[in-house]
Amino acid sequence: MSVAAVVIVVVAAILIGAFGLRLSRTTSDFYVASRTVTPLWNASAIGGEYLSAASFLGIAGLILTHGADMLWLPVGWTGGYLVLLVLVSAPLRRSGAYTLPDFAESRLESMAVRRTASVLVVLIGWFYLMPQFQSAGIVLRAITGAPGWVGGLLVAVVVAVNVLSGGMRSITFVQAFQYWLKLTALAVPLVFLLMAWRSGGAPGLSEHDMTHWQLPLSSAKEYGLYSTYSLILATFLGTMGLPHVLVRFYTNPDGRAARRTTLVVLSLLGAFYLLPAIYGWLGRIYAPDVAGTDAVVLTLPGRVIGGTLGDVLTALVTAGAFAAFLSTSSGLTVSVAGVIAQDLFGGGAVRAFRLATLLAVAVPLGLAVWARSLPVADVVGLAFAVAASSFCPLLVLGIWWRRLSSAGALAGLFVGGGLACAAVMAQITGGPYGGLVGALLAQPAAWTVPIAFFVMVVASFLTPHRVPAGVARTMVRLHTPETLNLDRGDWRSRSS
């Protein structure tokens, strides 16, 4: 039954993507859906791609294992959109760029900054795609016994087909559908699980869990306070630096629509993130011995309810899990392929975009097969740390500080992004490590983000001659509502 659910989700994704192909004809369709996506539709698509395997499976697993400390993950991932709303969304849409490197080049007037941003976009995308493919392998192995690489390959093929067929417009339809599927796939089984918990006498946590598991900072984890604050920093600031999230704001018609989209996204994410925490709590009661914490969401319906109903609910959860893999992987692939097509292949044509799509999927699939398996939420958290240490300073200072120089931006990207990437590679290839070094590498944002901001600011003060000549014009464009016509003198009538 679970296999049938996976097949249905895959077929539905391909058919909806094929519908998008009928509407995708221009380069703008492939990259930003011709900037015509409405706020509700766009918010559903953002929810679809943002709620990855880490949200659907990983949060419940980490809460099951580490307790209340991990509640900061959904809080941070949702709160990051509030920071995005206040600081970035509308100016970014007004920039007129297709991708983050486009914004970097137009703001700093430097090809070196653009190339560095392009490399970081690709690295963040690949770090984020790798755990999606690994989690797909875990789910497919749990329901069929197939080797781990088969699930990753299946997701990679479906994503490549969808992106190759219709680009951003096609993916928008697929991701909007998959958000509502994921919400249903967690909410409906949870209703039955809570009914079973209630009818079974409403068992509670053990005395040990009451005094340790459910109390923040009470676990035996080394340097728990540092890890918690670093996690908060990474999730709150990393959201604005995720390329597959930012590219969505380029699809809005104007800056006002971008802000409305962000408000709707906050509501959709808030509704969804109530659910994984309850799964983690139920898992602590009914399945504390589950092997592989990322599988607790899949395990609970069969263990708590059982029978035919349990099988049906497990199939529904499995369908939601595959929707999570497909939607997030699709958004990441579009953003990474767009950068590769423009900056590596040297052109933005549809043919270059399609070739870039194959490369964008192949590399993280190879990494997923080769690298050791880590909890999916941990790896995604590391991707957030890289984004927070590189693009967050670039966007915040680039939008709000006119004295940012190209040399300062370049130095900050190299130092902040480089240190965070080094920490990620150390964790993936050789971790986990013990002691203070292990804590610093597992949660690097607390030291890499301040360093990145510091380097950008100091280097900019030291190189005032590298401030772009057209910065005044650029800042006016970023902060002027589209309803004003500067050439007509609207700013004078508003100020008088």
Side-chain angles (χ1 to χ4, degrees), residues 309-321:
L309 179 58
D311 292 341
V312 171
L313 295 176
T314 300
L316 181 58
V317 173
T318 303

Side-chain angles (χ1 to χ4, degrees), residues 205-215 218-220 284:
L205 298 171
S206 66
E207 183 176 347
H208 177 271
D209 285 344
M210 291 285 289
T211 56
H212 292 84
W213 180 84
Q214 74 173 10
L215 296 179
S218 60
S219 66
R284 192 71 180 183

